[in-house]
Amino acid sequence: MESYNELAKRIIKCLNDSGLDYAFTGALAVSYYGIPRTTSDVDVMITIRNERSEINKIIGTLLCVGLDVTEQQIMNALQSGYNIITASDKASPYTVDIITSTQKIEKRAGKVAGLTTYLQEPIDLILAKLRMIKATIPRERAIKDEDDIKSIIRFTPIDLDSLRKRAKTEGTEDIIDSINLSERS
């Protein structure tokens, strides 16, 4: 069985070779910007505009990684509007969640597992975590997401005014205000 890092390396190599617009999100991005934490999956965002050539490129890339995924799974996800494809890795116990977007992804270059890659911008990652908290009932189940936000803010320079403005437009400003950000150093 391969390790999480080995899976991450395979994903990075195949995505970089593909030329697809992508960025890691989720626990991998949180670990990059904040405090490393365990996870059982890799979350990656990929831009796709439902063009046949892009769909073929994604299929080829996911097969390059070694994921157990079919063209039908990808088509079902795109047609459902859910836009998340979950695939098992053939060489490790991990899964990969591919979050598709029709928009260009705001990202930042960084190094993961010794390779240059792209990660979701930290403010966008925090906003995604705030949306998850808002949707989580009961709220106590969102502690991990709150801890992730604190971790990112503590270790990565964030324009808190800009974050609050964007959170306000998304209806999550009350959540960011309720999270104890005093641990920021």
Side-chain angles (χ1 to χ4, degrees):
M1 285 271 161
E2 285 190 355
S3 71
Y4 187 87
N5 266 2
E6 290 166 321
L7 172 58
K9 284 180 182 180
R10 278 189 284 125
I11 295 170
I12 293 166
K13 286 177 184 175
C14 292
L15 283 169
N16 285 346
D17 289 347
S18 75
L20 289 166
D21 180 38
Y22 80 90
F24 286 99
T25 187
L28 194 144
V30 169
S31 295
Y32 180 84
Y33 293 122
I35 297 172
R37 68 171 176 85
T38 59
T39 185
S40 60
D41 70 359
V42 177
D43 300 305
V44 63
M45 300 165 41
I46 298 176
T47 299
I48 182 167
R49 292 178 259 309
N50 279 340
E51 296 171 7
R52 189 70 217 169
S53 61
E54 285 184 331
I55 293 168
N56 288 340
K57 196 182 279 191
I58 286 178
I59 292 167
T61 301
L62 300 181
L63 293 175
C64 167
V65 171
L67 300 180
D68 190 14
V69 65
T70 65
E71 179 178 352
Q72 191 59 50
Q73 277 179 279
I74 294 168
M75 297 308 294
N76 289 346
L78 294 173
Q79 292 167 357
S80 73
Y82 187 55
N83 296 336
I84 296 180
I85 304 156
T86 299
S88 297
D89 180 40
K90 294 178 183 177
S92 77
Y94 301 102
T95 58
V96 178
D97 287 337
I98 300 98
I99 303 133
T100 64
S101 172
T102 57
Q103 307 293 317
K104 181 166 175 35
I105 299 167
E106 296 297 322
K107 59 192 175 196
R108 181 180 290 193
K111 283 207 181 263
V112 171
L115 299 173
T116 299
T117 191
Y118 299 98
L119 301 112
Q120 184 178 27
E121 283 286 343
I123 286 183
D124 292 331
L125 180 58
I126 291 169
L127 291 167
K129 293 284 181 181
L130 290 170
R131 289 189 297 273
M132 288 297 296
I133 292 169
K134 185 177 183 177
T136 302
I137 300 173
R139 172 83 184 269
E140 295 78 35
R141 294 181 63 202
I143 290 171
K144 176 181 57 82
D145 290 316
E146 289 183 14
D147 288 344
D148 286 346
I149 291 170
K150 289 179 193 177
S151 163
I152 295 165
I153 290 172
R154 182 173 178 202
F155 292 102
T156 301
I158 301 289
D159 180 344
L160 292 177
D161 291 334
S162 176
L163 173 62
R164 282 195 171 88
K165 285 177 189 171
R166 290 185 59 193
K168 185 175 184 175
T169 65
E170 293 187 5
T172 57
E173 182 182 32
D174 59 327
I175 298 169
I176 195 72
D177 289 340
S178 72
I179 296 173
N180 181 5
L181 301 180
S182 64
E183 296 174 18
R184 186 177 186 178
S185 44

